Amino acid sequence: LAKTTQPISMDSYEGQEVNITCSHNNIATNDYITWYQQFPSQGPRFIIQGYKTKVTNEVASLFIPADRKSSTLSLPRVSLSDTAVYYCLVSNRDDKIIFGKGTRLHILP
Amino acid sequence: DTEVTQTPKHLVMGMTNKKSLKCEQHMGHRAMYWYKQKAKKPPELMFVYSYEKLSINESVPSRFSPECPNSSLLNLHLHALQPEDSALYLCASSQGAGDKNIQYFGAGTRLSVL
């Protein structure tokens, strides 16, 4: 599985749009890009998954360029409750996924 | 329903004790997982069960013994643990074949080994 690299931490303010970029230079053809959110003392929660171009759901958008070597998670109009760790990882139809170090997002009032 | 239920939520045990962690899902998922997470670190995969058979063991010490009694249940038996085994233990499940491996996690069991 391809290794992912993302910023260790980010700060933003309530109401702002937050973009977290993840690098996955060695992504394979059959790999998908998946993002999870984790609050303290809880399990990770699936946010969004994509293969190419743009995916949007009720929580976030995921932008993937044509070369698929990076991806950007976009959280619109964040609130204090979006303070969490966000993990980017690649996954495929195999069972194993590997979590990277994640990005600690801190939303300020 | 995307719920994975883990019990107990908290567990304190001595190094000579035997205890078990339990995990249950009713989503019809065919794969179930155990992860270990230390404070401020990402989850680390321990075991994977696929169709009730152990498919991945990430070189976990034998003091951790997984068991999958049926497709909905996953246990982790603990014996002679060390203080450094104190961590949040997470269970997850995924749909499997044809799926893109989206995993659904329980809230975890916070384990303290004294």
Side-chain angles (χ1 to χ4, degrees), chain B residues 35-106:
Chain B
Y35 290 83
K36 173 183 178 179
Q37 187 174 27
K38 302 283 275 185
K40 298 191 184 302
K41 298 291 186 181
E44 296 178 3
L45 182 65
M46 300 175 70
F47 302 103
V48 180
Y49 273 81
S50 179
Y51 295 109
E52 302 171 42
K53 293 189 187 314
L54 184 64
S55 61
I56 297 176
N57 176 342
E58 291 287 280
S59 302
V60 179
S62 60
R63 58 185 183 269
F64 296 91
S65 176
E67 178 196 21
C68 189
N70 60 56
S71 59
S72 299
L73 294 174
L74 186 66
N75 298 322
L76 186 62
H77 302 298
L78 314 173
H79 174 55
L81 294 193
Q82 304 297 309
E84 59 264 29
D85 296 321
S86 298
L88 181 67
Y89 287 84
L90 295 162
C91 174
S93 68
S94 69
Q95 192 167 7
D99 181 61
K100 308 172 199 75
N101 200 1
I102 295 172
Q103 296 189 13
Y104 296 89
F105 286 80

Side-chain angles (χ1 to χ4, degrees), chain B residues 4-6 21-25 32 34 72-74 91:
Chain B
V4 175
T5 304
Q6 290 188 243
L21 308 184
K22 297 186 183 300
C23 175
E24 190 168 4
Q25 58 90 11
M32 296 185 75
W34 281 115
S72 299
L73 294 174
L74 186 66
C91 174

Side-chain angles (χ1 to χ4, degrees), chain A residues 21-25 27 33 63-65 67-72:
Chain A
T21 297
C22 178
S23 170
H24 26 78
N25 290 319
I27 191 169
I33 299 140
F63 299 92
I64 306 167
D67 67 4
R68 303 198 332 121
K69 293 184 183 299
S70 66
S71 59
T72 299

